[in-house]
Amino acid sequence: TTTTTTTTTTTTTATTATTTTTVTYNATSFRTALYQPKNKVLLNPSTAPIHTFFTYRVQNDESYEPENQNMASLAGAMFYLHNEIVWHVPRRFNKTRLQKFKVTTRATQPLIDKKMNFGTRVAFDRGMCTGPFDCDKEWNIYGYYVGCNKAGSFPTAQWGKTCRYPGAVWYSFPGSCPSAEFNSHTNECILTEPGGHCPPGVEPTGAGDCTYQYELVGEISLDELDGIGSYTSFIAKGGREYNKWLDRGLQNNFWNKKYDEKACKARIKAAEALFKTKYPDVELDEDLPAPECDFNYWRFYH
């Protein structure tokens, strides 16, 4: 049995009231009986520490949960925008906004036994895990862990020489039925492959099917981030957010100097400041620093 304490703060114009609710639950009470990992240790809570920090997702106008998705540190999201999105016209994948999530994670026992809080960062294509290697095999060994990798490290070593955003990290959050694309999910797949997202209000236990929790705490538009106003009008007037061959924008300088670390740090600070302006009650990243991305290739795969 595990006890979770949830604190809710309600603010009015005159007072601030804090209500603390303690929920006691059995670690297996929400589990489907069809979840039967090969490593039975994954059916139990782990002794791993719990971590709460912020992650970011670059998103289009569609709204859906960040499960079977990749997210990033703010630096990682900014590099992704710079490297993959803003030099395309229209923006690649029609991205329009940057979302901020408060996440809480706990590693499974097999993972923490190898002195890691994170496993390998996997990729998803329309919600289906595409590797590296065999996702199902790894999740049967380690559970539905949160994965991470630093820019320039496996499996994105190719970006080591080009990323000048300090602290760029990417994460993976496996949800239900990660072996199939979103439109191919079946009830059986959802029940046998529950993913790592814990039920609402449940703090991660570190069991194989409860490794993370998340909450959307804010978002900013890319138009307001780089100050172009209306993207459609900006493009129609000949503007470009970034031209990768010129290493600068046209009629806008926000993304100039991709390979200049000082300029990259300034862009991170600009995004932080915009979030703080729009959501003054939400903590800064420095208030909830992310744990070290401690995935180790040798320990994980041996």
Side-chain angles (χ1 to χ4, degrees):
T1 301
T2 303
T3 300
T4 298
T5 301
T6 304
T7 302
T8 303
T9 302
T10 304
T11 304
T12 66
T13 55
T15 62
T16 299
T18 301
T19 303
T20 300
T21 303
T22 300
V23 180
T24 301
Y25 66 95
N26 186 286
T28 62
S29 63
F30 53 83
R31 175 175 296 135
T32 165
L34 294 181
Y35 176 56
Q36 292 296 325
K38 292 180 180 178
N39 188 346
K40 300 306 179 186
V41 172
L42 296 171
L43 296 175
N44 301 314
S46 78
T47 60
I50 199 159
H51 297 286
T52 299
F53 55 102
F54 293 110
T55 60
Y56 296 80
R57 178 173 68 167
V58 179
Q59 184 64 356
N60 55 27
D61 287 335
E62 297 180 22
S63 296
Y64 46 84
E65 301 303 318
E67 300 173 35
N68 293 336
Q69 297 272 300
N70 294 116
M71 293 201 280
S73 64
L74 182 54
M78 295 297 286
F79 176 67
Y80 172 70
L81 280 167
H82 214 162
N83 199 55
E84 301 285 342
I85 304 300
V86 297
W87 61 272
H88 291 271
V89 179
R91 294 185 188 117
R92 195 178 186 190
F93 308 128
N94 296 312
K95 300 297 188 183
T96 58
R97 52 187 171 149
L98 180 59
Q99 297 179 307
K100 181 176 182 176
F101 291 84
K102 180 185 284 188
V103 301
T104 300
T105 67
R106 192 192 300 267
T108 61
Q109 197 63 45
L111 200 57
I112 201 64
D113 283 347
K114 291 193 174 184
K115 304 186 186 308
M116 290 179 286
N117 288 284
F118 300 97
T120 187
R121 197 274 300 168
V122 299
F124 296 98
D125 185 3
R126 298 183 180 89
M128 182 175 71
C129 183
T130 56
F133 310 132
D134 189 334
C135 302
D136 289 337
K137 178 182 177 181
E138 292 160 14
W139 285 327
N140 265 295
I141 296 171
Y142 293 109
Y144 293 101
Y145 58 82
V146 176
C148 77
N149 80 281
K150 301 175 183 178
S153 298
F154 175 85
T156 57
Q158 68 271 28
W159 304 128
K161 295 182 179 180
T162 58
C163 179
R164 295 295 179 268
Y165 286 86
V169 176
W170 292 276
Y171 300 95
S172 53
F173 293 85
S176 60
C177 197
S179 64
E181 294 184 357
F182 288 128
N183 60 1
S184 299
H185 284 192
T186 64
N187 287 336
E188 180 181 2
C189 183
I190 291 171
L191 293 173
T192 57
E193 303 174 26
H197 180 221
C198 306
V202 174
E203 183 179 82
T205 64
D209 56 351
C210 183
T211 59
Y212 67 90
Q213 193 60 271
Y214 59 82
E215 173 192 6
L216 177 63
V217 295
E219 67 174 51
I220 57 177
S221 76
L222 301 184
D223 292 358
E224 60 185 338
L225 175 61
D226 55 22
I228 61 173
S230 165
Y231 181 77
T232 303
S233 298
F234 174 73
I235 296 299
K237 294 176 181 177
R240 295 294 182 268
E241 289 176 295
Y242 181 67
N243 181 310
K244 70 175 185 177
W245 293 277
L246 300 176
D247 191 30
R248 62 180 177 87
L250 300 175
Q251 301 179 28
N252 184 268
N253 61 10
F254 183 82
W255 297 100
N256 289 10
K257 300 181 179 180
K258 176 183 176 182
Y259 307 101
D260 184 301
E261 185 171 318
K262 183 178 179 181
C264 291
K265 286 181 177 179
R267 281 184 281 270
I268 295 171
K269 289 295 185 183
E272 288 179 333
L274 185 54
F275 271 110
K276 193 61 179 177
T277 298
K278 293 189 69 174
Y279 306 96
D281 295 331
V282 176
E283 304 99 317
L284 297 171
D285 286 15
E286 64 189 37
D287 300 321
L288 287 176
E292 178 72 12
C293 175
D294 59 3
F295 166 73
N296 181 285
Y297 182 95
W298 177 260
R299 291 202 300 268
F300 187 84
Y301 288 108
H302 295 84

Tab-separated table of all heavy atoms in Angstrom, residues 64-107:
chain	number	residue	atom	x	y	z
A	64	TYR	N	-3.834	16.802	-27.848
A	64	TYR	CA	-3.855	15.417	-27.379
A	64	TYR	C	-2.782	15.256	-26.321
A	64	TYR	O	-1.890	16.099	-26.182
A	64	TYR	CB	-3.665	14.418	-28.525
A	64	TYR	CG	-2.544	14.754	-29.483
A	64	TYR	CD1	-1.224	14.405	-29.208
A	64	TYR	CD2	-2.802	15.429	-30.673
A	64	TYR	CE1	-0.204	14.711	-30.080
A	64	TYR	CE2	-1.790	15.745	-31.561
A	64	TYR	CZ	-0.491	15.384	-31.266
A	64	TYR	OH	0.521	15.702	-32.133
A	65	GLU	N	-2.890	14.183	-25.568
A	65	GLU	CA	-2.000	13.980	-24.432
A	65	GLU	C	-0.577	13.664	-24.904
A	65	GLU	O	-0.380	13.095	-25.980
A	65	GLU	CB	-2.524	12.849	-23.541
A	65	GLU	CG	-3.923	13.084	-22.983
A	65	GLU	CD	-4.027	14.356	-22.200
A	65	GLU	OE1	-3.109	14.666	-21.417
A	65	GLU	OE2	-5.036	15.068	-22.358
A	66	PRO	N	0.424	13.979	-24.082
A	66	PRO	CA	1.827	13.750	-24.481
A	66	PRO	C	2.301	12.327	-24.188
A	66	PRO	O	3.409	12.120	-23.712
A	66	PRO	CB	2.578	14.777	-23.632
A	66	PRO	CG	1.789	14.850	-22.381
A	66	PRO	CD	0.344	14.715	-22.801
A	67	GLU	N	1.451	11.349	-24.447
A	67	GLU	CA	1.814	9.944	-24.247
A	67	GLU	C	2.148	9.306	-25.591
A	67	GLU	O	1.536	9.629	-26.607
A	67	GLU	CB	0.673	9.193	-23.563
A	67	GLU	CG	0.323	9.759	-22.192
A	67	GLU	CD	-0.921	9.127	-21.599
A	67	GLU	OE1	-1.134	7.921	-21.820
A	67	GLU	OE2	-1.686	9.837	-20.924
A	68	ASN	N	3.116	8.396	-25.582
A	68	ASN	CA	3.694	7.881	-26.823
A	68	ASN	C	4.182	9.057	-27.664
A	68	ASN	O	3.960	9.140	-28.868
A	68	ASN	CB	2.690	7.022	-27.594
A	68	ASN	CG	2.358	5.741	-26.868
A	68	ASN	OD1	3.140	5.260	-26.046
A	68	ASN	ND2	1.197	5.180	-27.165
A	69	GLN	N	4.867	9.969	-26.959
A	69	GLN	CA	5.369	11.203	-27.540
A	69	GLN	C	6.759	11.476	-26.976
A	69	GLN	O	7.160	10.929	-25.952
A	69	GLN	CB	4.460	12.368	-27.166
A	69	GLN	CG	3.048	12.280	-27.693
A	69	GLN	CD	2.917	12.890	-29.077
A	69	GLN	OE1	3.191	14.067	-29.284
A	69	GLN	NE2	2.526	12.082	-30.028
A	70	ASN	N	7.460	12.371	-27.647
A	70	ASN	CA	8.725	12.876	-27.133
A	70	ASN	C	8.537	14.303	-26.638
A	70	ASN	O	7.811	15.090	-27.252
A	70	ASN	CB	9.813	12.852	-28.202
A	70	ASN	CG	10.184	11.447	-28.629
A	70	ASN	OD1	9.986	11.065	-29.776
A	70	ASN	ND2	10.713	10.659	-27.711
A	71	MET	N	9.163	14.617	-25.519
A	71	MET	CA	9.222	15.993	-25.028
A	71	MET	C	10.691	16.333	-24.798
A	71	MET	O	11.577	15.535	-25.115
A	71	MET	CB	8.363	16.168	-23.783
A	71	MET	CG	6.873	16.015	-24.068
A	71	MET	SD	5.784	16.774	-22.834
A	71	MET	CE	5.805	15.520	-21.545
A	72	ALA	N	10.951	17.491	-24.254
A	72	ALA	CA	12.340	17.944	-24.153
A	72	ALA	C	12.495	18.942	-23.019
A	72	ALA	O	11.521	19.485	-22.498
A	72	ALA	CB	12.767	18.600	-25.467
A	73	SER	N	13.749	19.178	-22.646
A	73	SER	CA	14.055	20.355	-21.826
A	73	SER	C	13.778	21.575	-22.685
A	73	SER	O	13.600	21.474	-23.914
A	73	SER	CB	15.527	20.325	-21.400
A	73	SER	OG	16.370	20.433	-22.548
A	74	LEU	N	13.743	22.759	-22.079
A	74	LEU	CA	13.498	23.957	-22.877
A	74	LEU	C	14.591	24.126	-23.925
A	74	LEU	O	14.310	24.458	-25.082
A	74	LEU	CB	13.412	25.189	-21.972
A	74	LEU	CG	13.111	26.513	-22.678
A	74	LEU	CD1	11.848	26.423	-23.530
A	74	LEU	CD2	12.985	27.646	-21.662
A	75	ALA	N	15.838	23.881	-23.544
A	75	ALA	CA	16.939	23.979	-24.508
A	75	ALA	C	16.763	22.972	-25.638
A	75	ALA	O	17.012	23.274	-26.813
A	75	ALA	CB	18.270	23.763	-23.801
A	76	GLY	N	16.321	21.754	-25.302
A	76	GLY	CA	16.096	20.733	-26.315
A	76	GLY	C	14.975	21.114	-27.266
A	76	GLY	O	15.059	20.886	-28.483
A	77	ALA	N	13.915	21.717	-26.728
A	77	ALA	CA	12.808	22.148	-27.573
A	77	ALA	C	13.231	23.283	-28.496
A	77	ALA	O	12.842	23.326	-29.672
A	77	ALA	CB	11.632	22.578	-26.702
A	78	MET	N	14.047	24.201	-27.981
A	78	MET	CA	14.509	25.315	-28.806
A	78	MET	C	15.417	24.833	-29.931
A	78	MET	O	15.345	25.319	-31.066
A	78	MET	CB	15.210	26.352	-27.930
A	78	MET	CG	14.310	27.036	-26.902
A	78	MET	SD	12.975	28.003	-27.639
A	78	MET	CE	13.899	29.419	-28.258
A	79	PHE	N	16.281	23.859	-29.629
A	79	PHE	CA	17.133	23.315	-30.689
A	79	PHE	C	16.292	22.597	-31.740
A	79	PHE	O	16.542	22.714	-32.948
A	79	PHE	CB	18.175	22.361	-30.114
A	79	PHE	CG	19.015	21.690	-31.173
A	79	PHE	CD1	19.895	22.426	-31.937
A	79	PHE	CD2	18.904	20.328	-31.422
A	79	PHE	CE1	20.669	21.828	-32.931
A	79	PHE	CE2	19.661	19.713	-32.403
A	79	PHE	CZ	20.551	20.466	-33.161
A	80	TYR	N	15.292	21.844	-31.298
A	80	TYR	CA	14.399	21.154	-32.234
A	80	TYR	C	13.708	22.155	-33.153
A	80	TYR	O	13.646	21.953	-34.380
A	80	TYR	CB	13.377	20.343	-31.452
A	80	TYR	CG	12.277	19.740	-32.293
A	80	TYR	CD1	12.531	18.700	-33.179
A	80	TYR	CD2	10.971	20.221	-32.203
A	80	TYR	CE1	11.516	18.150	-33.959
A	80	TYR	CE2	9.948	19.680	-32.966
A	80	TYR	CZ	10.227	18.645	-33.836
A	80	TYR	OH	9.217	18.107	-34.603
A	81	LEU	N	13.216	23.244	-32.582
A	81	LEU	CA	12.591	24.275	-33.401
A	81	LEU	C	13.575	24.839	-34.422
A	81	LEU	O	13.240	25.007	-35.603
A	81	LEU	CB	12.081	25.408	-32.504
A	81	LEU	CG	10.752	25.182	-31.791
A	81	LEU	CD1	10.542	26.229	-30.705
A	81	LEU	CD2	9.599	25.227	-32.797
A	82	HIS	N	14.777	25.129	-33.965
A	82	HIS	CA	15.791	25.750	-34.819
A	82	HIS	C	16.264	24.797	-35.910
A	82	HIS	O	16.459	25.185	-37.066
A	82	HIS	CB	16.977	26.182	-33.956
A	82	HIS	CG	17.637	27.429	-34.412
A	82	HIS	ND1	18.454	28.177	-33.618
A	82	HIS	CD2	17.612	28.088	-35.611
A	82	HIS	CE1	18.891	29.224	-34.288
A	82	HIS	NE2	18.401	29.181	-35.506
A	83	ASN	N	16.443	23.545	-35.530
A	83	ASN	CA	17.044	22.573	-36.434
A	83	ASN	C	16.046	21.920	-37.385
A	83	ASN	O	16.401	21.559	-38.514
A	83	ASN	CB	17.728	21.478	-35.611
A	83	ASN	CG	18.742	20.693	-36.398
A	83	ASN	OD1	19.661	21.269	-36.986
A	83	ASN	ND2	18.594	19.380	-36.427
A	84	GLU	N	14.785	21.784	-36.953
A	84	GLU	CA	13.827	20.998	-37.713
A	84	GLU	C	12.600	21.759	-38.196
A	84	GLU	O	11.925	21.306	-39.123
A	84	GLU	CB	13.340	19.817	-36.841
A	84	GLU	CG	14.427	18.878	-36.359
A	84	GLU	CD	14.931	17.962	-37.453
A	84	GLU	OE1	14.226	17.808	-38.476
A	84	GLU	OE2	16.026	17.397	-37.286
A	85	ILE	N	12.259	22.884	-37.584
A	85	ILE	CA	10.938	23.462	-37.812
A	85	ILE	C	10.942	24.814	-38.515
A	85	ILE	O	10.334	24.978	-39.581
A	85	ILE	CB	10.174	23.597	-36.459
A	85	ILE	CG1	10.079	22.238	-35.755
A	85	ILE	CG2	8.798	24.204	-36.687
A	85	ILE	CD1	9.352	21.166	-36.548
A	86	VAL	N	11.603	25.824	-37.937
A	86	VAL	CA	11.342	27.197	-38.373
A	86	VAL	C	11.962	27.568	-39.711
A	86	VAL	O	11.580	28.588	-40.303
A	86	VAL	CB	11.790	28.220	-37.288
A	86	VAL	CG1	10.979	28.038	-36.021
A	86	VAL	CG2	13.290	28.114	-37.005
A	87	TRP	N	12.877	26.765	-40.240
A	87	TRP	CA	13.449	27.118	-41.535
A	87	TRP	C	12.585	26.623	-42.696
A	87	TRP	O	12.806	26.997	-43.853
A	87	TRP	CB	14.880	26.615	-41.670
A	87	TRP	CG	15.081	25.127	-41.591
A	87	TRP	CD1	15.273	24.381	-40.476
A	87	TRP	CD2	15.144	24.219	-42.693
A	87	TRP	NE1	15.438	23.053	-40.794
A	87	TRP	CE2	15.368	22.936	-42.150
A	87	TRP	CE3	15.032	24.361	-44.075
A	87	TRP	CZ2	15.467	21.776	-42.954
A	87	TRP	CZ3	15.144	23.215	-44.877
A	87	TRP	CH2	15.359	21.955	-44.315
A	88	HIS	N	11.588	25.802	-42.392
A	88	HIS	CA	10.637	25.362	-43.417
A	88	HIS	C	9.520	26.390	-43.576
A	88	HIS	O	9.123	27.044	-42.615
A	88	HIS	CB	10.008	24.022	-43.020
A	88	HIS	CG	10.949	22.868	-43.048
A	88	HIS	ND1	11.163	22.103	-44.171
A	88	HIS	CD2	11.733	22.339	-42.072
A	88	HIS	CE1	12.038	21.142	-43.899
A	88	HIS	NE2	12.404	21.267	-42.631
A	89	VAL	N	9.003	26.519	-44.789
A	89	VAL	CA	7.852	27.381	-45.056
A	89	VAL	C	6.809	26.566	-45.824
A	89	VAL	O	7.072	26.126	-46.941
A	89	VAL	CB	8.250	28.617	-45.879
A	89	VAL	CG1	7.024	29.477	-46.169
A	89	VAL	CG2	9.311	29.435	-45.155
A	90	PRO	N	5.607	26.341	-45.244
A	90	PRO	CA	5.253	26.688	-43.873
A	90	PRO	C	6.071	25.868	-42.875
A	90	PRO	O	6.795	24.952	-43.268
A	90	PRO	CB	3.764	26.330	-43.784
A	90	PRO	CG	3.600	25.232	-44.784
A	90	PRO	CD	4.527	25.583	-45.918
A	91	ARG	N	5.960	26.198	-41.597
A	91	ARG	CA	6.713	25.455	-40.592
A	91	ARG	C	6.458	23.960	-40.727
A	91	ARG	O	5.329	23.535	-40.960
A	91	ARG	CB	6.325	25.882	-39.183
A	91	ARG	CG	6.678	27.304	-38.811
A	91	ARG	CD	6.343	27.549	-37.353
A	91	ARG	NE	6.485	28.956	-36.984
A	91	ARG	CZ	5.475	29.718	-36.565
A	91	ARG	NH1	4.257	29.210	-36.442
A	91	ARG	NH2	5.686	30.981	-36.250
A	92	ARG	N	7.496	23.186	-40.535
A	92	ARG	CA	7.363	21.734	-40.647
A	92	ARG	C	6.338	21.216	-39.633
A	92	ARG	O	6.307	21.665	-38.485
A	92	ARG	CB	8.724	21.084	-40.399
A	92	ARG	CG	8.790	19.632	-40.839
A	92	ARG	CD	10.174	19.088	-40.615
A	92	ARG	NE	10.320	17.748	-41.151
A	92	ARG	CZ	11.368	16.958	-40.933
A	92	ARG	NH1	12.370	17.393	-40.168
A	92	ARG	NH2	11.428	15.753	-41.454
A	93	PHE	N	5.523	20.282	-40.077
A	93	PHE	CA	4.479	19.664	-39.247
A	93	PHE	C	3.463	20.687	-38.731
A	93	PHE	O	2.718	20.412	-37.801
A	93	PHE	CB	5.081	18.899	-38.064
A	93	PHE	CG	6.146	17.909	-38.436
A	93	PHE	CD1	7.382	17.926	-37.806
A	93	PHE	CD2	5.926	16.963	-39.433
A	93	PHE	CE1	8.368	17.015	-38.148
A	93	PHE	CE2	6.915	16.044	-39.789
A	93	PHE	CZ	8.141	16.067	-39.150
A	94	ASN	N	3.462	21.882	-39.326
A	94	ASN	CA	2.502	22.932	-38.938
A	94	ASN	C	2.573	23.272	-37.449
A	94	ASN	O	1.545	23.548	-36.811
A	94	ASN	CB	1.073	22.514	-39.317
A	94	ASN	CG	0.901	22.368	-40.816
A	94	ASN	OD1	1.289	23.235	-41.587
A	94	ASN	ND2	0.327	21.246	-41.240
A	95	LYS	N	3.765	23.289	-36.899
A	95	LYS	CA	3.926	23.604	-35.476
A	95	LYS	C	3.589	25.076	-35.228
A	95	LYS	O	3.962	25.955	-36.009
A	95	LYS	CB	5.352	23.323	-35.015
A	95	LYS	CG	5.789	21.858	-35.180
A	95	LYS	CD	4.962	20.899	-34.350
A	95	LYS	CE	5.545	19.489	-34.393
A	95	LYS	NZ	4.717	18.511	-33.648
A	96	THR	N	2.899	25.312	-34.108
A	96	THR	CA	2.448	26.672	-33.816
A	96	THR	C	2.725	27.121	-32.386
A	96	THR	O	2.630	28.316	-32.095
A	96	THR	CB	0.929	26.804	-34.040
A	96	THR	OG1	0.252	25.852	-33.200
A	96	THR	CG2	0.563	26.558	-35.495
A	97	ARG	N	3.055	26.202	-31.483
A	97	ARG	CA	3.141	26.585	-30.073
A	97	ARG	C	4.137	25.721	-29.318
A	97	ARG	O	4.528	24.645	-29.766
A	97	ARG	CB	1.763	26.502	-29.414
A	97	ARG	CG	1.067	25.170	-29.631
A	97	ARG	CD	-0.352	25.164	-29.108
A	97	ARG	NE	-1.051	23.948	-29.512
A	97	ARG	CZ	-2.003	23.356	-28.808
A	97	ARG	NH1	-2.376	23.865	-27.639
A	97	ARG	NH2	-2.597	22.267	-29.250
A	98	LEU	N	4.497	26.211	-28.141
A	98	LEU	CA	5.415	25.518	-27.252
A	98	LEU	C	4.708	25.336	-25.918
A	98	LEU	O	4.336	26.312	-25.260
A	98	LEU	CB	6.698	26.333	-27.081
A	98	LEU	CG	7.795	25.760	-26.180
A	98	LEU	CD1	8.272	24.402	-26.683
A	98	LEU	CD2	8.966	26.734	-26.089
A	99	GLN	N	4.502	24.087	-25.515
A	99	GLN	CA	3.778	23.767	-24.286
A	99	GLN	C	4.741	23.402	-23.169
A	99	GLN	O	5.797	22.801	-23.414
A	99	GLN	CB	2.822	22.598	-24.525
A	99	GLN	CG	1.731	22.887	-25.537
A	99	GLN	CD	0.831	21.683	-25.753
A	99	GLN	OE1	1.308	20.590	-26.045
A	99	GLN	NE2	-0.474	21.887	-25.606
A	100	LYS	N	4.357	23.742	-21.937
A	100	LYS	CA	5.168	23.458	-20.760
A	100	LYS	C	4.397	22.502	-19.842
A	100	LYS	O	3.241	22.756	-19.498
A	100	LYS	CB	5.490	24.758	-20.025
A	100	LYS	CG	6.363	24.597	-18.776
A	100	LYS	CD	6.713	25.967	-18.175
A	100	LYS	CE	7.627	25.851	-16.962
A	100	LYS	NZ	8.035	27.186	-16.437
A	101	PHE	N	5.054	21.418	-19.449
A	101	PHE	CA	4.451	20.421	-18.578
A	101	PHE	C	5.276	20.260	-17.299
A	101	PHE	O	6.504	20.265	-17.347
A	101	PHE	CB	4.390	19.052	-19.264
A	101	PHE	CG	3.431	18.967	-20.410
A	101	PHE	CD1	3.800	19.388	-21.679
A	101	PHE	CD2	2.151	18.462	-20.224
A	101	PHE	CE1	2.912	19.309	-22.743
A	101	PHE	CE2	1.253	18.376	-21.283
A	101	PHE	CZ	1.632	18.800	-22.545
A	102	LYS	N	4.573	20.111	-16.184
A	102	LYS	CA	5.235	19.687	-14.956
A	102	LYS	C	5.088	18.174	-14.884
A	102	LYS	O	3.976	17.646	-14.915
A	102	LYS	CB	4.596	20.335	-13.727
A	102	LYS	CG	5.259	19.906	-12.420
A	102	LYS	CD	4.541	20.473	-11.192
A	102	LYS	CE	4.864	21.929	-10.999
A	102	LYS	NZ	4.332	22.461	-9.699
A	103	VAL	N	6.213	17.464	-14.844
A	103	VAL	CA	6.180	16.008	-14.837
A	103	VAL	C	6.804	15.475	-13.551
A	103	VAL	O	7.688	16.101	-12.956
A	103	VAL	CB	6.917	15.410	-16.059
A	103	VAL	CG1	6.290	15.896	-17.357
A	103	VAL	CG2	8.396	15.743	-16.035
A	104	THR	N	6.322	14.325	-13.129
A	104	THR	CA	6.875	13.615	-11.982
A	104	THR	C	7.197	12.205	-12.431
A	104	THR	O	6.364	11.552	-13.071
A	104	THR	CB	5.875	13.584	-10.808
A	104	THR	OG1	5.571	14.928	-10.422
A	104	THR	CG2	6.456	12.849	-9.615
A	105	THR	N	8.402	11.749	-12.148
A	105	THR	CA	8.845	10.441	-12.616
A	105	THR	C	9.436	9.621	-11.472
A	105	THR	O	9.927	10.163	-10.483
A	105	THR	CB	9.905	10.578	-13.728
A	105	THR	OG1	11.111	11.156	-13.169
A	105	THR	CG2	9.420	11.456	-14.872
A	106	ARG	N	9.356	8.307	-11.625
A	106	ARG	CA	10.055	7.390	-10.721
A	106	ARG	C	10.487	6.179	-11.541
A	106	ARG	O	9.679	5.573	-12.251
A	106	ARG	CB	9.167	6.946	-9.561
A	106	ARG	CG	9.970	6.230	-8.446
A	106	ARG	CD	9.079	5.519	-7.429
A	106	ARG	NE	8.157	6.370	-6.724
A	106	ARG	CZ	8.407	6.957	-5.541
A	106	ARG	NH1	9.581	6.787	-4.953
A	106	ARG	NH2	7.484	7.704	-4.959
A	107	ALA	N	11.749	5.831	-11.461
A	107	ALA	CA	12.284	4.697	-12.216
A	107	ALA	C	11.779	3.376	-11.645
A	107	ALA	O	11.413	3.282	-10.468
A	107	ALA	CB	13.810	4.724	-12.201
